[in-house]
Amino acid sequence: MKSPTIKTLIISLFLFTIPTSFASPPNLEDVFTQCITNFKPSNPKSPIQNFTYTQKNPKFLTILNNYVRNLRYFNNTTRKPVAIVAAADVTHIQATITCAKKLSLQLRIRSGGHDYDGLSYLSTIDFIVLDMFNLRSIEIDPKLDTAWVQSGATLGEIYYGVANKSNDLRGFPAGVCPGLGAGGHFSGGGYGNMMRKYGLSIDNIIDAKIVDAKGRVLDRSSMGEDLFWALRGGGAASFCVVLAWKIKLVPVPEKVTVFNVITVGNRGGVNTTELVVKWQEIADKIDNDLFIRLTLSTSNKTVKASFMGMFLGNSSKLLEITNAKFPELGLNKTECIEMKWIESVLFWLDIPPGTAPTTVMLNRIPQKQIYLKRKSDYVQKPISRTGLDAIFKALIENENVTMAWNPYGGRMSDIPSTETAFPHRAGNMFKIQYAANWFVPGEAVANECLSQTERVFQAMSPYVSKNPREAFLNYRDVDIGTSLNSTYEEGKVYGVKYFKNNFERLVQVKTRVDPDNFFRYEQSIPVHSRH
Ligand SMILES: Cc1cc2nc3c(=O)[nH]c(=O)nc-3n(C[C@H](O)[C@H](O)[C@H](O)COP(=O)(O)OP(=O)(O)OC[C@H]3O[C@@H](n4cnc5c(N)ncnc54)[C@H](O)[C@@H]3O)c2cc1C
Ligand SMILES: *C1O[C@H](CO)[C@@H](O)[C@H](O)[C@H]1NC(C)=O
Ligand SMILES: *[C@@H]1O[C@H](CO)[C@@H](O)[C@H](O)[C@H]1NC(C)=O
Ligand SMILES: *[C@@H]1O[C@H](CO)[C@@H](O)[C@H](O)[C@H]1NC(C)=O
Ligand SMILES: *[C@@H]1O[C@H](CO)[C@@H](O)[C@H](O)[C@H]1NC(C)=O
Ligand SMILES: *[C@@H]1O[C@H](CO)[C@@H](O)[C@H](O)[C@H]1NC(C)=O
Ligand SMILES: *[C@@H]1O[C@H](CO)[C@@H](O)[C@H](O)[C@H]1NC(C)=O
Ligand SMILES: *[C@@H]1O[C@H](CO)[C@@H](O)[C@H](O)[C@H]1NC(C)=O
Ligand SMILES: *[C@@H]1O[C@H](CO)[C@@H](O)[C@H](O)[C@H]1NC(C)=O
Ligand SMILES: *[C@@H]1O[C@H](CO)[C@@H](O)[C@H](O)[C@H]1NC(C)=O
Ligand SMILES: *[C@@H]1O[C@H](CO)[C@@H](O)[C@H](O)[C@H]1NC(C)=O
């Protein structure tokens, strides 16, 4: 169903009602601002107009750019929102939803802005950005079992807050980049280096507060279990605005052990092919306390492998495990670094131990903005030596692409694939992330990096999941399909890759909670076609 755009409405009103003078027609910005300002109830302590930025506001571009994490989607031709509402209060969210709906404007919801393809701040038609960065409170219960975190909180703020309040006794399983927002990251699953022990972030989320398409504030008991299921891995932006999550904190040992073994060509006479063969045999089966991420890149036409590890225990115990199960790696005591869990957050950012205070994880604005492309795959059976050699060749020929192989298994295999909307559970050995980063503008460089990524992705097709070729929602990739006019058929193309058999159930939930498809975007869950 297509409603007339607000422009058409305004123009027709103008034509019929103002015959006498050539006063300018009210523009969308003004109409929207008027609407949200008049919205009742409003909180007198935080009037919404003080948190609203239209293009006339001198801060508009800064506010927009503050949470753009992919420079590919911020230039002079990028379509800008009609307004950004940086909500500071739940009534601001209600007003934004109500007015966007009334004026047929699309809504984009942004928490940390890390969406790889910018879908939290881009649209091809007139739209509003609901920016959540002001809503970032973290309330940890005194027993240290749970916490309520608002969507605009970053992982760094959550990690730091939890470690601080618990004297380093508690942590939370989530991503390795502290700038990620709780809003997008959790609703797409949220994986990190404690995944094999504790599962994803969503496996440790027990409640949520949302605002739905009717502007109602709901929690788990009032929204219904089906919607709460969908929010855990299905991408919340198809259903509602998440205001806050209730998370279950997990125990972390006093000291964890980390390492990063980098091999170029070979290590101690064992070549990289053999190390990767062995890694595939053990990575998803080894002790659940141990996570070893393998990153493959090239250096001077030679394959470079990094085995980066996180062990929830001390180095003696870690070495016992690696010596027994992965002796080829030859991990030794001096390569193992014991530190507090909160300090390991910096290690995973490649910050050398002891060179920065843990408060750096509270920085919201990155030092460097980059252009990037990401894609994902799942691997379900071991890749042979011949396969690995072909993969290494593809990497050498496309030297600006790296691959991160993240092992599953452990807790990930214990949780049924229907438990939450996130479907990639037992049967997956590891997930691949393809990455290309570049630092200069211009389409030539961009196209070169994009085609290199595509070539590596194609070279991988014999070795990864098929029918569908599965993808991870948090690794947003518009190449796998987009929906321009929100039909079920369009949505199914990317929907089964992200959600497999959970897609149909997501469609049912969507059809129940948002039948008019207000919460739609380029990769949203469609409503069912049969009305
Ligand atoms: C540097 C970097 C490192 C990363 N590392 C990891 C990692 O270790 N593990 C991992 O799992 N992923 C990782 N990711 C991917 C990341 O989890 C996703 O990009 C995630 O969606 C980011 O959440 P966000 O709130 O920052 O993003 P946004 O861009 O703000 O949002 C992403 C999506 O969620 C929606 N959304 C955001 N907030 C809300 C809300 N409050 N209510 C409803 N919908 C909302 C948006 O509309 C959009 O569709 C990484 C990304 C980057 C750029
Ligand atoms: C666009 O161009 C103007 C002036 O030419 C510049 O000030 C602005 O920062 C540019 N960028 C964006 C994203 O609009
Ligand atoms: C809102 O903005 C107006 C105009 O800038 C200012 O006078 C007022 O003090 C602000 N109100 C609050 C509560 O910040
Ligand atoms: C500008 O941004 C748009 C996305 O909004 C992108 O498609 C386009 O390629 C960018 N232009 C350049 C020159 O990078
Ligand atoms: C907690 O944070 C406060 C304020 O930043 C700081 O003074 C204190 O030392 C921290 N405590 C711990 C245990 O990290
Ligand atoms: C490792 O050795 C095998 C056997 O000699 C060879 O086929 C393979 O290409 C080597 N791998 C690398 C990365 O050099
Ligand atoms: C790369 O390899 C070439 C040829 O083997 C060699 O001359 C050069 O020094 C190497 N460069 C680096 C940075 O290792
Ligand atoms: C290391 O941890 C194990 C338990 O995993 C414990 O038995 C051992 O005493 C610890 N060793 C040291 C040196 O702390
Ligand atoms: C441990 O490994 C490092 C790096 O390979 C090496 O420099 C060091 O000599 C090794 N130490 C021991 C005790 O084997
Ligand atoms: C690609 O990698 C090569 C070799 O490292 C480098 O010289 C080149 O600048 C990279 N290209 C881009 C676009 O980053
Ligand atoms: C949207 O759907 C209509 C009807 O099925 C179709 O004709 C049109 O090509 C589709 N795409 C766009 C961009 O409107």
Side-chain angles (χ1 to χ4, degrees), residues 482-496:
T482 53
S483 172
L484 291 176
N485 59 5
S486 310
T487 62
Y488 171 84
E489 286 70 26
E490 285 176 321
K492 192 171 177 172
V493 174
Y494 52 83
V496 295

Side-chain angles (χ1 to χ4, degrees), residues 226-432:
D226 63 340
L227 179 53
F228 186 62
W229 173 87
L231 297 184
R232 286 171 295 157
S238 295
F239 304 95
C240 60
V241 174
V242 175
L243 176 61
W245 305 96
K246 188 177 187 182
I247 64 175
K248 212 168 62 190
L249 306 180
V250 303
V252 290
E254 213 177 302
K255 289 284 168 73
V256 302
T257 307
V258 293
F259 60 88
N260 190 11
V261 169
I262 296 174
T263 78
V264 182
N266 76 88
R267 172 161 157 108
V270 185
N271 84 6
T272 303
T273 312
E274 291 310 312
L275 285 171
V276 176
V277 165
K278 189 64 197 204
W279 177 89
Q280 291 188 95
E281 281 169 21
I282 56 96
D284 64 318
K285 297 174 197 71
I286 207 161
D287 198 298
N288 289 1
D289 288 325
L290 178 56
F291 175 84
I292 307 177
R293 171 189 282 177
L294 167 60
T295 305
L296 295 168
S297 57
T298 55
S299 167
N300 206 13
K301 306 282 174 207
T302 308
V303 178
K304 181 171 151 189
S306 138
F307 296 86
M308 193 167 189
M310 169 80 162
F311 180 62
L312 299 170
N314 62 31
S315 56
S316 337
K317 182 74 187 165
L318 169 62
L319 286 169
E320 245 176 63
I321 296 170
T322 54
N323 287 339
K325 302 279 171 57
F326 196 8
E328 297 80 358
L329 186 63
L331 185 67
N332 75 35
K333 186 113 196 163
T334 47
E335 291 164 319
C336 297
I337 312 162
E338 292 184 355
M339 56 177 64
K340 290 180 180 176
W341 172 76
I342 194 67
E343 294 165 339
S344 77
V345 174
L346 302 192
F347 182 83
W348 280 82
L349 290 178
D350 279 330
I351 297 175
T355 62
T358 51
T359 47
V360 301
M361 75 181 73
L362 304 174
N363 293 346
R364 284 184 157 252
I365 307 299
Q367 316 234 296
K368 195 167 188 179
Q369 291 257 60
I370 61 169
Y371 301 81
L372 60 88
K373 177 63 195 169
R374 298 288 187 273
K375 298 180 78 65
S376 59
D377 258 323
Y378 280 90
V379 175
Q380 291 152 351
K381 33 184 211 298
I383 303 171
S384 67
R385 287 178 176 77
T386 337
L388 291 174
D389 283 341
I391 293 167
F392 295 170
K393 184 163 169 280
L395 276 179
I396 287 166
E397 286 166 359
N398 299 283
E399 59 187 351
N400 301 97
V401 182
T402 64
M403 270 196 268
W405 293 9
N406 290 285
Y408 272 40
R411 183 86 188 110
M412 289 298 285
S413 298
D414 297 341
I415 299 172
S417 59
T418 51
E419 181 88 3
T420 64
F422 175 94
H424 320 283
R425 301 283 188 172
N428 289 292
M429 293 169 56
F430 56 96
K431 174 189 62 190
I432 298 179

Side-chain angles (χ1 to χ4, degrees), residues 148 207-213 215-224 227 240-241 243-244 513:
W148 272 104
D207 203 344
K209 285 200 184 85
I210 65 160
V211 185
D212 77 356
R216 295 177 302 191
V217 180
L218 305 171
D219 66 2
R220 179 173 184 171
S221 64
S222 51
M223 77 175 77
L227 179 53
C240 60
V241 174
L243 176 61
V513 305

Side-chain angles (χ1 to χ4, degrees), residues 69 108-116 119-120 132 151 175-177 179-185 187 190-192 236-237 240-243 293 372 472 474-476 521:
R69 290 292 171 272
R108 291 293 177 271
I109 312 157
R110 183 164 76 168
S111 289
H114 282 69
D115 193 288
Y116 286 134
L119 300 192
S120 55
M132 301 292 284
S151 282
V176 297
C177 171
L180 304 178
H185 179 67
S187 77
Y191 93 92
C240 60
V241 174
V242 175
L243 176 61
R293 171 189 282 177
L372 60 88
F472 176 35
N474 265 354
Y475 289 174
R476 175 85 65 199
Y521 64 100

Side-chain angles (χ1 to χ4, degrees), residues 416-467:
S417 59
T418 51
E419 181 88 3
T420 64
F422 175 94
H424 320 283
R425 301 283 188 172
N428 289 292
M429 293 169 56
F430 56 96
K431 174 189 62 190
I432 298 179
Q433 181 186 79
Y434 303 84
N437 295 337
W438 61 102
F439 309 94
V440 289
E443 305 215 314
V445 177
N447 288 339
E448 174 59 22
C449 290
L450 295 177
S451 11
Q452 286 195 24
T453 311
E454 186 58 29
R455 286 197 291 268
V456 176
F457 185 72
Q458 291 306 333
M460 288 302 292
S461 37
Y463 316 109
V464 299
S465 66
K466 294 174 191 57
N467 305 314

